């Protein structure tokens, strides 16, 4: 994966983007809360076990000095409407105390690189239409993503 030296204030940390592991589960649960989805550690443990067992799923994390401060949950899919495969970013978050430091750009770039390594011809994501997501939408647009569709959901 990727490693670099990160400066935060007067402190320097080793920053790595790597595949998530089971010891990351408590921080992944915390990050889900930052996305607006309150999640207990036990809920995240059960989810992560299921996700990790699926070969079409992949979870990247940003590790800063041994602390997970961001994650990108990815899965591959096959197009119905065209040839090829795509990758969907199912969950993407950087801890709010680490935002605006370039970590999201690095994590998104690494997510795109993983997609390319799987032979994907496109990458997609959904982001909620909530006021608190306005900054995230601006970030995605700045990274070359565009609004393509309107999503709909129904709880079963």
């Amino acid at each position: 994966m990727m490693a670099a030296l990160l400066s935060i204030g007067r402190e320097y940390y080793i920053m790595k983007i790597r595949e998530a592991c089971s010891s990351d589960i408590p921080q992944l649960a915390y990050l889900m809360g930052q996305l607006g989805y309150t999640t207990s550690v036990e809920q995240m443990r059960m989810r992560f076990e299921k996700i990790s067992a699926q070969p079409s799923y992949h979870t990247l994390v940003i590790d800063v000095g041994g602390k997970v401060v961001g994650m990108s949950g990815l899965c591959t899919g096959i197009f119905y409407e065209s040839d090829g495969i795509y990758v969907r970013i199912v969950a993407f978050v950087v801890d709010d105390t680490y935002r605006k430091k370039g970590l999201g750009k690095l994590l998104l770039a690494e997510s795109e690189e993983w997609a390319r390594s799987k032979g994907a011809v496109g990458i997609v994501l959904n982001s909620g239409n909530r006021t608190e997501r306005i900054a995230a939408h601006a970030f995605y647009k700045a990274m070359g993503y565009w609004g393509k569709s309107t999503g709909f959901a129904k709880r079963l």
Side-chain angles (χ1 to χ4, degrees):
M1 289 288 134
M2 172 189 200
L5 197 58
L6 176 69
S7 170
I8 300 176
R10 294 180 179 207
E11 304 284 325
Y12 289 89
Y13 301 91
I14 297 203
M15 183 278 305
K16 295 184 280 191
I17 298 178
R18 58 172 175 77
E19 186 173 356
C21 60
S22 59
S23 64
D24 299 325
I25 290 170
Q27 196 61 21
L28 292 175
Y30 173 76
L31 290 169
M32 288 301 102
Q34 289 219 342
L35 267 180
Y37 306 104
T38 303
T39 302
S40 71
V41 172
E42 188 53 35
Q43 286 173 313
M44 193 71 240
R45 185 174 319 287
M46 292 186 323
R47 292 175 195 168
F48 189 74
E49 286 174 7
K50 291 175 184 175
I51 288 167
S52 297
Q54 297 297 318
S56 60
Y57 278 73
H58 189 69
T59 307
L60 294 172
V61 295
I62 303 172
D63 178 317
V64 175
K67 179 182 178 186
V68 171
V69 301
M71 65 88 59
S72 180
L74 308 159
C75 69
T76 58
I78 302 167
F79 286 112
Y80 276 94
E81 68 278 14
S82 63
D83 296 333
I85 67 167
Y86 64 92
V87 166
R88 176 174 296 281
I89 299 173
V90 181
F92 189 90
V93 60
V94 173
D95 185 324
D96 62 5
T97 60
Y98 289 84
R99 290 180 191 159
K100 307 283 186 195
K101 299 178 185 334
L103 296 177
K105 289 179 182 180
L106 294 172
L107 183 59
L108 197 56
E110 192 69 21
S111 299
E112 292 169 359
E113 187 55 39
W114 183 82
R116 283 185 202 92
S117 78
K118 295 299 172 192
V121 297
I123 189 164
V124 298
L125 61 88
N126 288 44
S127 185
N129 291 324
R130 303 184 311 262
T131 305
E132 63 270 18
R133 301 298 298 154
I134 291 172
H137 296 177
F139 167 73
Y140 296 132
K141 287 177 183 176
M143 295 300 295
Y145 290 70
W146 67 91
K148 183 177 178 198
S149 64
T150 299
F152 297 91
K154 180 179 180 180
R155 183 155 305 273
L156 301 176

